[in-house]
Amino acid sequence: MHHPILLAAILGLAAPTALSLAPRSAPASAGAEVTASGIDLRVELGQHVVPSGTAFELTVTLDNTTTHLLDAVAIDLDLVDAAGVPVPASFAVAEPVLVGVDAADGSDNLGPGASASARFAICPLHAAVSAPTRFGVVVTVAAVLEGSALMHSLPARGFEVLPAPELEVELFVPGLVHGDWPATPSLFEVVEAFPVGLRLANVGAGAAVGLTVDSLGPLFTPDPTGAALGSSVVELELDGQVTPAGFGIDPSLLGDLAPGAELRLHWTALPFARAAVTGMDLDVAWASAPAVPGVLGGPQLAAPPTSLAHELVHAAELFDTLGGPLDDGLVDWLVDDPAVPAPIDPVTGLEMLAFPDLARMSAGPDIVLVPVVNPTVGRAPTIANQVTTVEFTAGASGWYHLRFDAPGGAYFDLAQVVRTTKALHLPGLEVGVAADVSRVWVTERPLDVTGDGLPDVTRRLVHLVDRVTTPGLVRYDLVHVASSGEALSADVELLSTSTGGTQNLTLDAGPDHAGASYILLGSLTGTKPGLTLDGVNVPLNVDAYFLATLTNPSLAVLSGALGLLDAQGRATAQVIVPTGFPAGVGLTAHHAFVLFPPSFFPITLASN
């Protein structure tokens, strides 16, 4: 029984043509078959130990030792197991490279005293073995000499096939990184660290030896302004352990990967500028385990193309009970599933970009995250009461993702989140930022509301992922701390021009300024360089709005803009946006207050 010439796509070799290497029987007129005394046949095996999935070479050399023409020359390979049973389904064989003949399927001949060779690439398929296994290859040559059929076979040449590693590669990169906007060279937007994830899983039967990751990091869409784009590594976590390394990692850190094992890498990186991410420069390499000491198990293998790529939103550890089945201490990836429509932001009316709706778990199956984009948020925190609440009604048990505007704005930092159910306070959830491994994180990013490519307002958002076991009302207590050095705070930072609204401001200069006079000023052209009066920098640029608030504190858009601080050095004021104000879309108004004595000069304090 012969082995048909096949080609596995994984080899990347050209598909065979109509090449049939079966032993040929003699023509009807040729008489009885005779021994191939006029054929000198040699076989060279390139490797005697080979991992599955790796091609090796077998060369057949044929000499015509007669003074006659050898006609209908054909070469046949039979791949057999240790018992001599043909196993063609376990191997792929490429069309041979021929020298001295144009074909080896019985359609060409070999002249007197001439030589020919055929070099075959043979690849054991990945599923061929689950343990080191012996195989053999039987080579048979057939020809016709002076009308008589000749056939010459060599005993099986043995070789060993090792179970090979087979790596699954999953890449997790954000769709957009947040840094300084190249389109606003006169302004500097805050740079936000971002996560990058990589999962390497060995789904083969052999060990992957000496893993390496060669990478320059994420790839970015070129910026129209020509700004330099890129990122630098802040930290790398390898299976939950902080490891000093960059995007490229050598075998001394990654080591070997046994069958069924996996590694999870979590980079924290800083972008050079705000940019869209198109992918990641990535090359993973490894070698197969040796069959015997001192014998290489095969050449180094190039990694397959990334089998899966996900838009990473955040990294977290999701588990419902400490020590439970999901609590393996490894990072879980919160990704934006492209098959799930993005929720609509109730404030801007735009689609919520980078909204996690699926958790790729390190333990257990993937988890679907139910979006909650309009929970009920309580009043803003104050100096006197820094705890506020957020509530929503869960229609079913499961994992939920809440996203809402930070009730403390930029003036109170979220320190802890505690879920309260049936008067039972559960352990508080730690609060992180975008690149942290956390179930609660806060982002503070410039937002382009008008779609002109320029930042319009900075928006601070709270993101919360939690599991609800009992449907119904779910409540969280948000514990805040006052941001340092912020004498002026607000309850909201974004108002609708269609419905209007009010921004409530809290002025808190401290007891040392009890009873002092204040005036609230504004600017529509920014905060830098500002105005310096009496040696005090007022962080507002002088423009028509600034002059209007200075000369007429009782403007319709302001309330409580002029007055006295109370015994604690506090006061309140309001910025009022009227209903139906389309010209205000994208407008940013900055406000600050200054304290002054009865004579108006000198100024004693200017707030943020």
Side-chain angles (χ1 to χ4, degrees):
M1 186 171 184
H2 71 279
H3 173 73
I5 300 302
L6 302 174
L7 175 63
I10 59 170
L11 287 177
L13 303 173
T17 57
L19 182 64
S20 175
L21 302 186
R24 300 180 61 84
S25 58
S29 61
E33 223 171 18
V34 298
T35 59
S37 58
I39 299 176
D40 185 8
L41 182 61
R42 299 184 304 280
V43 175
E44 295 180 8
L45 205 59
Q47 283 180 252
H48 294 276
V49 180
V50 60
S52 297
T54 302
F56 66 99
E57 289 186 350
L58 180 141
T59 302
V60 178
T61 303
L62 173 65
D63 296 329
N64 181 0
T65 60
T66 75
T67 58
H68 303 282
L69 183 71
L70 281 178
D71 196 15
V73 176
I75 303 173
D76 175 67
L77 302 184
D78 280 326
L79 288 154
V80 298
D81 62 16
V85 178
V87 286
S90 296
F91 294 86
V93 181
E95 182 178 355
V97 176
L98 301 173
V99 176
V101 290
D102 294 329
D105 59 357
S107 62
D108 201 3
N109 53 47
L110 189 62
S115 297
S117 66
R119 188 172 73 250
F120 296 88
I122 303 173
C123 180
L125 302 181
H126 276 298
V129 298
S130 58
T133 305
R134 295 291 299 178
F135 291 95
V137 57
V138 178
V139 178
T140 301
V141 172
V144 175
L145 176 64
E146 293 292 293
S148 298
L150 305 181
M151 182 174 293
H152 188 13
S153 293
L154 292 181
R157 295 297 178 92
F159 60 93
E160 186 171 28
V161 175
L162 305 177
E166 186 177 358
L167 260 64
E168 246 181 25
V169 180
E170 282 190 283
L171 176 64
F172 302 84
V173 291
L176 182 70
V177 296
H178 300 272
D180 185 39
W181 291 52
T184 55
S186 61
L187 299 175
F188 181 77
E189 290 80 22
V190 176
V191 177
E192 177 187 272
F194 66 94
V196 175
L198 183 65
R199 172 182 171 266
L200 303 175
N202 186 359
V203 297
V209 178
L211 276 173
T212 62
V213 172
D214 186 15
S215 175
L216 297 176
L219 303 173
F220 303 98
T221 300
D223 185 81
T225 66
L229 301 178
S231 58
S232 59
V233 176
V234 176
E235 183 180 87
L236 167 64
E237 289 188 13
L238 173 59
D239 278 348
Q241 300 297 317
V242 176
T243 303
F247 284 116
I249 310 172
D250 60 38
S252 64
L253 290 173
L254 293 179
D256 304 338
L257 197 59
E262 74 173 46
L263 294 173
R264 290 199 167 214
L265 295 89
H266 171 222
W267 287 277
T268 299
L270 279 176
F272 297 165
R274 180 183 185 271
V277 181
T278 60
M280 184 167 175
D281 169 68
L282 182 65
D283 185 21
V284 182
W286 66 92
S288 297
V292 293
V295 178
L296 181 65
Q300 197 150 58
L301 306 175
T306 300
S307 55
L308 290 172
H310 309 273
E311 183 176 344
L312 179 61
V313 179
H314 189 67
E317 289 182 39
L318 303 186
F319 54 86
D320 44 4
T321 57
L322 195 62
L326 300 182
D327 182 18
D328 61 357
L330 298 182
V331 65
D332 304 309
W333 308 116
L334 308 185
V335 302
D336 188 349
D337 186 350
V340 178
I344 300 299
D345 190 318
V347 175
T348 65
L350 305 174
E351 283 191 349
M352 290 187 177
L353 302 178
F355 191 94
D357 37 46
L358 185 70
R360 295 281 296 159
M361 301 296 293
S362 59
D366 293 348
I367 291 176
V368 175
L369 302 178
V370 181
V372 179
V373 298
N374 55 350
T376 302
V377 182
R379 49 147 193 81
T382 63
I383 295 295
N385 187 351
Q386 299 182 18
V387 179
T388 188
T389 61
V390 61
E391 297 177 343
F392 77 100
T393 300
S397 60
W399 287 87
Y400 287 80
H401 171 235
L402 286 73
R403 192 185 106 158
F404 53 93
D405 286 275
Y411 314 106
F412 289 88
D413 295 327
L414 185 61
Q416 191 182 50
V417 174
V418 180
R419 180 150 61 100
T420 305
T421 174
K422 297 180 181 178
L424 173 65
H425 285 273
L426 302 178
L429 301 176
E430 293 184 3
V431 178
V433 294
D436 292 341
V437 178
S438 57
R439 284 168 57 180
V440 182
W441 68 100
V442 178
T443 57
E444 188 171 359
R445 302 166 178 168
L447 180 67
D448 179 12
V449 180
T450 58
D452 60 358
L454 300 174
D456 299 310
V457 65
T458 297
R459 193 174 185 190
R460 184 180 265 199
L461 293 169
V462 177
H463 310 256
L464 177 112
V465 174
D466 195 23
R467 181 171 183 263
V468 176
T469 56
T470 304
L473 185 67
V474 182
R475 169 177 165 154
Y476 298 91
D477 288 340
L478 309 180
V479 183
H480 295 83
V481 293
S483 298
S484 59
E486 303 289 6
L488 179 65
S489 60
D491 59 344
V492 296
E493 294 184 29
L494 199 63
L495 294 176
S496 168
T497 60
S498 59
T499 62
T502 299
Q503 180 189 56
N504 296 298
L505 299 173
T506 299
L507 292 64
D508 187 357
D512 291 345
H513 297 281
S517 300
Y518 72 87
I519 184 171
L520 184 71
L521 305 173
S523 175
L524 300 179
T525 56
T527 62
K528 293 180 180 179
L531 174 67
T532 299
L533 295 173
D534 301 326
V536 176
N537 180 259
V538 180
L540 298 171
N541 292 335
V542 177
D543 55 17
Y545 182 58
F546 178 90
L547 296 175
T549 57
L550 177 64
T551 58
N552 185 14
S554 59
L555 284 171
V557 296
L558 295 179
S559 174
L562 181 66
L564 301 175
L565 301 180
D566 63 17
Q568 299 299 317
R570 298 172 184 163
T572 60
Q574 290 79 38
V575 179
I576 304 165
V577 174
T579 301
F581 182 41
V585 173
L587 188 67
T588 299
H590 294 276
H591 296 89
F593 71 88
V594 296
L595 302 184
F596 55 90
S599 60
F600 287 97
F601 296 102
I603 291 174
T604 58
L605 179 143
S607 75
N608 53 296

